[in-house]
Amino acid sequence: MARSMPQASPNQSPTQSLFGRLFRYSLAVDLGTANTLIYTGDGGIVVNQPSVVCFLKQVVEGRRRVAAVGSEAKQMLGRAPGNLEPVRPMRHGVIANFPAAEHMIRQFVEMARPRPFFARRAAFTICVPGGATQVERRAIREAAVAAGAWKVNLIDESLASAVGAGLPVSSATGSMVVDIGGGTTEIGVIALGGIAYSGSIRVGGDQFDQAIVNYVRNVYGVVVGEQTAEHVKKTIGSALRDAPEQKMCATGRSVDDGLPRTIEIRTQDVAEAIAVPLRQILVAVKAALENAPPELVTDIANTGVVLTGGGALLGHLPRYLANELALDVRVADEPLTCAVRGAGAAAEAGLLDAFVYE
Ligand SMILES: Nc1ncnc2c1ncn2[C@@H]1O[C@H](COP(=O)(O)OP(=O)(O)O)[C@@H](O)[C@H]1O
Ligand SMILES: [Mg+2]
């Protein structure tokens, strides 16, 4: 009875007119708080860049000019000279700065366009957090239309992630996916091609980074930047305090004399620093298990929980959650790209809540 999910979507349906095939194509977009990815049936993942855009401060003829987007703009965060303004347009999975989001999407879509020769218009399938309000959804649609979309479909991020993780979403058996992104954690219980329960909290990798910044300032008296904190988290981070010890050096500014100081940070420091946001994620997963339909919870007890999103790569996270939940917990293959690959595949399988702009 389970409908099989396509792994990758062919770009156009054979019934499209020649005009349609030349001038229209489809894209799946994961507009994340930390990273934006674009997937096309032909090219696979064609854009995978940090969600950052850097503006020039001076306004020319009433318009703002973009100095850089993506990785180049991310490097400028926290170190830009006075004439540059790096911005992260997304916060907690939704648009926080509309003009910046519009510029960023337009630039990324330009990079993804298969044949720049033709001014082709794309149908966008965009992942949105389950907790996004109608106003936030509309903002995402409008930004996509401004970037040249002729049609916009929104897909719940949990469903997209589950499809991308290869879970049997169309089957009657329930599965649970926990997507830990930059600014949100999305929890979805999925069965029969839809979302039976979804939960979303505004806690993700950014909150881990901020917790590390606070911890290092309080314990070592050194102020480090968020990018340094993120680097520490990715290199020696662990969800478990009793993980094997690793150490690394980090440089920041001493609170005492304002001068640069290098300190040694241990795995245990990171585990302690992130304990609070980590527990918030655990509590949200427990709440989902308590509130999801009982039959599906029984299924999840057998099939376990799948983690996606960049936060899933935190050291020893599956073991931490498995210990606390007494369930199997595993990380999906390529967790950072699950949502966008799943959105592309789901668009082809017709699992979408369509919204059409002509
Ligand atoms: N190895 C890692 N360990 C811990 N966190 C990681 C690792 N790799 C990436 N991350 C975190 O994952 C988050 C980005 O995940 P992503 O799924 O791209 O988020 P979003 O969908 O919100 O853009 C960032 O907070 C980043 O620091
Ligand atoms: Mg995401």
Side-chain angles (χ1 to χ4, degrees):
M1 71 157 286
R3 240 182 325 163
S4 70
M5 293 298 305
Q7 287 306 304
S9 55
N11 213 5
Q12 287 104 16
S13 82
T15 53
Q16 266 188 338
S17 66
L18 180 63
F19 174 87
R21 271 182 281 150
L22 279 177
F23 295 101
R24 290 183 170 176
Y25 61 109
S26 51
L27 295 174
V29 184
D30 174 9
L31 198 54
T33 309
N35 298 298
T36 296
L37 287 85
I38 300 184
Y39 173 96
T40 66
D42 286 346
I45 292 164
V46 287
V47 172
N48 185 353
Q49 297 270 346
S51 302
V52 187
V53 52
C54 183
F55 291 106
L56 285 171
K57 274 214 176 126
Q58 72 266 34
V59 177
V60 182
E61 292 167 4
R63 299 182 63 173
R64 303 198 71 188
R65 298 248 318 277
V66 172
V69 282
S71 349
E72 211 186 320
K74 186 178 180 185
Q75 286 179 350
M76 298 170 178
L77 278 175
R79 46 166 69 111
N83 61 332
L84 294 176
E85 189 190 354
V87 179
R88 291 182 60 185
M90 310 296 292
R91 282 271 171 238
H92 301 300
V94 297
I95 296 177
N97 180 330
F98 189 84
E102 197 186 307
H103 276 285
M104 185 180 78
I105 298 170
R106 190 175 302 136
Q107 301 266 340
F108 286 150
V109 169
E110 201 58 37
M111 291 179 194
R113 218 146 60 120
R115 280 178 236 149
F117 179 72
F118 295 104
R120 300 202 309 173
R121 312 261 293 162
F124 287 33
T125 301
I126 309 181
C127 308
V128 284
T133 64
Q134 283 306 320
V135 174
E136 290 163 344
R137 282 162 201 257
R138 173 161 289 274
I140 288 176
R141 285 189 190 115
E142 284 176 1
V145 170
W150 70 274
K151 176 176 163 186
V152 181
N153 291 310
L154 300 183
I155 178 169
D156 192 292
E157 208 164 336
S158 296
L159 184 60
S161 301
V163 173
L167 295 179
V169 297
S170 306
S171 133
T173 307
S175 350
M176 179 183 260
V177 61
V178 178
D179 180 279
I180 306 172
T184 48
T185 295
E186 300 283 321
I187 301 154
V189 175
I190 288 143
L192 296 168
I195 306 223
Y197 178 88
S198 82
S200 174
I201 53 164
R202 299 195 155 198
V203 176
D206 289 347
Q207 283 62 45
F208 292 164
D209 301 344
Q210 195 54 56
I212 294 169
V213 170
N214 294 341
Y215 179 92
V216 171
R217 189 184 53 229
N218 296 339
V219 174
Y220 292 100
V222 172
V223 179
V224 294
E226 280 179 26
Q227 301 231 54
T228 302
E230 183 185 26
H231 182 56
V232 167
K233 171 186 74 177
K234 288 184 181 177
T235 316
I236 59 164
S238 167
L240 290 174
R241 288 173 206 227
D242 58 5
E245 185 178 282
Q246 287 178 284
K247 298 173 188 169
M248 71 180 280
C249 290
T251 304
R253 188 175 54 227
S254 162
V255 174
D256 294 336
D257 54 17
L259 294 175
R261 214 172 108 205
T262 300
I263 50 160
E264 196 173 67
I265 303 183
R266 299 163 309 133
T267 299
Q268 283 66 25
D269 288 319
V270 182
E272 187 153 340
I274 65 174
V276 171
L278 196 56
R279 186 148 282 278
Q280 288 171 322
I281 292 176
L282 173 68
V283 167
V285 176
K286 281 189 174 162
L289 289 166
E290 279 164 22
N291 294 309
E295 298 288 7
L296 299 179
V297 175
T298 311
D299 294 340
I300 295 163
N302 294 321
T303 57
V305 176
V306 173
L307 306 180
T308 65
L313 294 168
L314 177 70
H316 308 290
L317 182 60
R319 195 141 62 84
Y320 165 84
L321 290 174
N323 291 348
E324 297 281 346
L325 299 167
L327 287 176
D328 272 353
V329 180
R330 70 177 177 90
V331 178
D333 289 341
E334 298 184 42
L336 281 152
T337 62
C338 280
V340 80
R341 286 185 288 110
E348 280 301 310
L351 286 170
L352 303 173
D353 160 30
F355 193 98
V356 179
Y357 282 88
E358 288 293 358

